[in-house]
Amino acid sequence: MAKLLIRGGTPLKGTVNISGAKNSALPIIVAACLADGESVLENIPQGIDVYTISMILKDLGAQIWFDESKRLHVIPDGLDRYQASYDLVRRMRASFYVAGLLLARLGRAEVPLPGGCALGSRPVDYHLKGFQALGATVSIEHGYVKAEASELVGTKIYINRSSVGTTMNLMLAASRAKGTTLLENAAKEPEVVDLAIYLNSMGARIRGAGTDIIRVDGVDSLKGTEYSIISDRIEAGTFMVACGITGGELLLANVVPEHLRSTIMKCEEAGLEIEEGISEIKVRANQRPLAVDVETAPYPGFATDMQQPFVAMMAVADGTSVIRETIFDRFRYVDELRRMGADIKVERDTAIIRGVPELTGAPVEATDLRAGAALVLAALTAKGETEISGVELIDRGYEHLDKKLRQLGADIERISDDCEESLMEHLTPPLMERL
Ligand code: UD1
């Protein structure tokens, strides 16, 4: 099990290149398997979640590998198995995208029901209702969701609550359905738009992505294509906050500033100086962060994935902040921040944070991906040494976080296996099992 050792106190300085968005990469790799022929995907981050989705699809019969230029090749022509591996799917909730894929491609899907996770209960009932509305029969047997449809037929689907996963899964399924599907109350996240653009580049007919009504006119077939995915707004936001918490000066390169609007606004309120370019953002922090109140919301609101990193910054802010989490049960990690000296009180969905002048290093454990990022940020400013375990969770969604921070001057060291890189070897040509 890998650990990170961090000695805090160094202001971060320099340029950091932001990787491709994990939450775009996952559905887009799945979407590539809806096509006939090869897709070549660029800007795909090499994190464990990308590895997991690729292994699930390989297990179903697709060929997937990274070339030397880090482009991901996907050839789905041999994908003919409809039962997804429990061992792989249970690792990641986003694996459930294969249900939409298999239904659209094979007319049959057996995918393990994703269980709860560190973010609390995360049901897939909206996904299942959507598949049923498209004409599939759906049952849950022995822990598997079983869905079958001789033909999916477009219809009007109202999604109960803005849900990124449901919107994307139904876009996948509807793209090859007969007729028109209208997804109402659709999620508007940039990753939803990215998936629509990629599907359209393969020959799909999707309009309205980025608004709350998405229209999908089903097509008979899709063709593999080349595509470069958007950059990761959550990784960019995490570095912005890392700059604020350490009193640093950073240039974030390869970003889409428009996708970061709510994070930028809150960071400015917290006293950070931010200058936007076309695809870069300069961030400077000349003072201790100021306390800011935040409420998470679906895009374009403040992202729930930025809540934990932001709380880390508020833990050392000047004043008291109130952070309300409206999407997930996402405050369990604050116990770990308290171990570092943070003064945080949680009442249901709200955290009240009295900023302290200084945190102190301690042994702590990452309980989920973004909680892990919050601990890294807290450690960067803490006095003394912090030892973070559970680093595999951070590796799920951040590409080389420790290396990038080291290049910016952080005193950070990874001990034990470089799990992230050894896993990626399974997706390079020498070890790839071409079928
Ligand atoms: C995605 C992101 C995650 C982000 C979240 C919200 C990926 C891989 N993950 O997760 O990083 O934090 O969006 O922006 O893209 N819900 C139901 N029933 C369902 C589906 C969802 O009740 O069938 C609820 C969820 O419990 C949650 C809310 O709807 O309270 C929104 O969840 P959703 O947008 O679907 O999150 P994910 O797609 O799982």
Side-chain angles (χ1 to χ4, degrees):
M1 299 288 266
K3 286 185 178 174
L4 290 177
L5 280 186
I6 301 175
R7 281 163 289 269
T10 318
L12 299 184
K13 286 215 160 46
T15 299
V16 57
N17 198 40
I18 300 303
S19 300
K22 166 187 83 82
N23 289 351
S24 265
L26 299 175
I28 282 177
I29 295 169
V30 174
C33 290
L34 274 174
D36 298 318
E38 178 172 3
S39 279
V40 182
L41 304 174
E42 288 187 30
N43 208 26
I44 299 288
Q46 296 201 342
I48 290 180
D49 281 4
V50 162
Y51 164 82
T52 303
I53 201 75
S54 303
M55 294 312 285
I56 290 171
L57 295 166
K58 281 180 69 162
D59 186 57
L60 293 169
Q63 295 175 52
I64 303 186
W65 74 97
F66 274 110
D67 66 20
E68 302 77 35
S69 314
K70 293 193 167 181
R71 302 186 320 158
L72 192 77
H73 295 249
V74 181
I75 303 181
D77 301 3
L79 195 157
D80 55 7
R81 293 191 278 279
Y82 58 83
Q83 190 174 57
S85 148
Y86 170 73
D87 273 346
L88 290 168
V89 168
R90 73 184 170 84
R91 295 183 200 172
M92 179 182 71
R93 195 181 142 78
S95 314
F96 204 64
Y97 291 135
V98 297
L101 159 73
L102 292 172
L103 256 184
R105 189 180 169 100
L106 305 176
R108 189 167 181 190
E110 292 189 8
V111 181
L113 194 61
C117 67
L119 307 186
S121 167
R122 291 176 78 181
V124 287
D125 51 333
Y126 306 161
H127 302 236
L128 302 186
K129 275 189 197 140
F131 294 151
Q132 281 168 329
L134 290 170
T137 54
V138 177
S139 60
I140 297 174
E141 289 170 38
H142 309 294
Y144 276 75
V145 170
K146 297 190 176 180
E148 231 177 316
S150 52
E151 183 176 60
L152 294 174
V153 181
T155 184
K156 200 188 267 189
I157 302 173
Y158 182 85
I159 302 170
N160 273 7
R161 172 180 181 174
S162 175
S163 160
V164 176
T166 309
T167 305
M168 303 239 222
N169 224 341
L170 296 182
M171 277 163 64
L172 293 172
S175 63
R176 281 180 53 175
K178 191 176 168 204
T180 299
T181 302
L182 281 184
L183 300 176
E184 298 185 341
N185 197 29
K188 299 193 278 277
E189 271 66 4
E191 294 76 19
V192 171
V193 179
D194 208 24
L195 174 64
I197 295 173
Y198 171 61
L199 282 166
N200 284 344
S201 74
M202 297 201 299
R205 295 176 60 205
I206 301 175
R207 276 174 283 162
T211 74
D212 48 20
I213 300 187
I214 299 179
R215 177 187 168 118
V216 185
D217 291 310
V219 294
D220 291 337
S221 64
L222 296 168
K223 282 201 169 35
T225 182
E226 289 193 15
Y227 190 70
S228 180
I229 70 163
I230 55 171
S231 61
D232 198 312
R233 63 196 167 100
I234 308 299
E235 187 197 9
T238 304
F239 276 99
M240 205 178 279
V241 172
C243 180
I245 206 169
T246 62
E249 189 170 345
L250 292 184
L251 181 76
L252 314 182
N254 184 34
V255 292
V256 184
E258 293 74 27
H259 294 169
L260 281 146
R261 193 64 61 225
S262 56
T263 305
I264 290 174
M265 237 182 65
K266 287 295 168 185
C267 282
E268 281 178 337
E269 258 185 69
L272 275 69
E273 284 174 26
I274 297 178
E275 225 179 284
E276 293 177 32
I278 291 169
S279 59
E280 57 189 33
I281 299 178
K282 276 187 196 158
V283 194
R284 193 180 307 122
N286 294 322
Q287 58 180 68
R288 181 178 172 194
L290 305 171
V292 172
D293 296 342
V294 170
E295 182 169 312
T296 63
Y299 189 84
F302 191 88
T304 171
D305 288 10
M306 277 307 300
Q307 181 256 104
Q308 293 120 312
F310 206 82
V311 163
M313 182 160 77
M314 291 301 97
V316 291
D318 188 0
T320 298
S321 49
V322 177
I323 312 281
R324 187 163 167 253
E325 170 59 64
T326 68
I327 315 281
F328 292 118
D329 174 11
R330 234 172 187 173
F331 279 131
R332 298 178 195 184
Y333 69 100
V334 299
D335 283 340
E336 299 301 297
L337 284 179
R338 285 192 190 111
R339 291 163 62 77
M340 301 177 71
D343 181 350
I344 304 177
K345 188 173 162 200
V346 175
E347 276 175 15
R348 295 195 194 176
D349 60 358
T350 303
I352 299 154
I353 307 163
R354 287 190 192 85
V356 294
E358 189 174 70
L359 296 172
T360 49
V364 288
E365 183 173 358
T367 48
D368 70 72
L369 166 60
R370 306 300 171 189
L375 294 175
V376 170
L377 300 189
L380 290 174
T381 181
K383 189 171 180 204
E385 187 173 276
T386 300
E387 183 181 297
I388 303 177
S389 52
V391 176
E392 301 69 28
L393 290 167
I394 302 173
D395 291 340
R396 284 184 56 170
Y398 289 94
E399 185 177 54
H400 309 316
L401 182 61
D402 48 321
K403 283 185 196 158
K404 288 185 178 183
L405 287 169
R406 202 174 308 120
Q407 279 163 7
L408 300 173
D411 186 346
I412 178 168
E413 191 185 334
R414 178 183 280 259
I415 43 179
S416 171
D417 296 346
D418 201 335
C419 148
E420 198 187 342
E421 279 178 0
S422 58
L423 284 179
M424 281 304 150
E425 280 176 14
H426 292 279
L427 289 177
T428 55
L431 289 173
M432 183 193 61
E433 293 156 31
R434 303 284 301 258
L435 297 173

